[in-house]
Each structure stands twice: as C-alpha cells, then as structure tokens.
Amino acid sequence: MPIKPENRSRYPKDWPEIHLAILERAKYRCEWPGCGAGHHHVGYWRGEQFVRMPQVLKDAGYKAGDIVICSDRSELKLLRIVLTIAHKDHTPEHCHPDNLAAWCQRHHLAYDQEHHKTTAYMSRKQRACTLELPL
Ligand SMILES: [Zn+2]
C-alpha cells in the first residue's frame, strides 16, 4: 500500500533498504500462502490464482490495464502485480522481518480489510466533524 503522507514520518530512515530486503527474502513473489504472484508480472486472477499473461497476448500487444474478450465472451482485465510490504500489526515503526510480509495488492488489502474499515470510518467521522452520540 502506498504510505500515507501523515504516516511517512513513522517509517525508519532506512525503509527503502528494509523494503528491498523483504522483497529479496520473498524472491519477488507474494508471500501470501498459495499466491506466489510475481512482482511486476502482468496477468489476471482466476479465482484465487494469478495467471501470467500468455505469450500470445503479449505478441498481440496487450498490456496491463487492457481488457481481453474471451471466446466465451467473458472479460479478463490484465493487471500488473506490485508487491507491497505489509506490517502485520499495522505499526509502521515495527520493522522486524517477522512483522513484515511482501504481499500483492489483493492479499495486502484482504489482510488490512478490517483495519481499513476502521480507519475509513474514523477518517469519515473526522471529516464530518460529528459528535459520537451515545446509543
Ligand atoms: Zn498475493
């Protein structure tokens, strides 16, 4: 996930090196069990499995962002995998390798879903400047 500007100061100065070390540990593959999507690979999701773009589509000039119409008229959206480094405890200062994971966007979002719901709620609440009324 991109680092939010308000959290940037919470990351250590050597974050670029830490980020790179985790990508190298993961061999540039998503560390989510069973995923293995490769950093900057282009392809599509078939259920829970990432499928790299077949050579025939590369030869035809397809690229990430394109939609392929299949013979059965279904559509495939071609995506570029970008591995992001997740803090499992959601604490940017906690950069021990055991707390970090290289995950694709899909699995990082899945892991963070509950956390996102909470932070999105708090952001909306702060923007609205509303009072929390007792039920
Ligand atoms: Zn993944």
Side-chain angles (χ1 to χ4, degrees):
M1 312 311 304
I3 298 173
K4 291 181 177 179
E6 65 269 25
N7 285 339
R8 191 167 298 279
S9 65
R10 296 178 64 191
Y11 285 74
K13 297 226 177 305
D14 61 343
W15 177 248
E17 291 79 18
I18 294 169
H19 180 272
L20 183 61
I22 299 301
L23 285 175
E24 288 176 350
R25 176 188 75 188
K27 297 181 174 52
Y28 294 86
R29 298 281 180 166
C30 178
E31 294 181 302
W32 190 270
C35 180
H39 196 41
H40 296 302
H41 286 180
V42 176
Y44 55 92
W45 289 100
R46 180 184 293 148
E48 288 300 308
Q49 197 62 47
F50 185 76
V51 179
R52 288 187 77 175
M53 179 167 60
Q55 188 63 43
V56 65
L57 293 180
K58 288 183 194 171
D59 293 345
Y62 283 94
K63 60 190 180 314
D66 289 344
I67 293 176
V68 180
I69 310 294
C70 303
S71 56
D72 67 357
R73 296 178 179 245
S74 63
E75 295 181 354
L76 293 174
K77 177 151 178 138
L78 295 173
L79 309 164
R80 177 178 305 278
I81 295 293
V82 176
L83 296 181
T84 56
I85 306 303
H87 289 80
K88 295 176 186 174
D89 68 354
H90 306 290
T91 305
E93 296 87 351
H94 185 192
C95 293
H96 188 279
D98 292 346
N99 188 47
L100 301 174
W103 285 335
C104 68
Q105 306 98 313
R106 179 182 190 144
H107 291 116
H108 199 153
L109 278 172
Y111 185 81
D112 286 351
Q113 194 170 27
E114 283 305 311
H115 185 69
H116 281 292
K117 283 181 189 170
T118 304
T119 55
Y121 169 75
M122 293 305 289
S123 296
R124 283 195 306 273
K125 199 168 116 183
Q126 285 171 351
R127 275 198 304 272
C129 296
T130 56
L131 292 173
E132 184 87 17
L133 299 175
L135 297 175

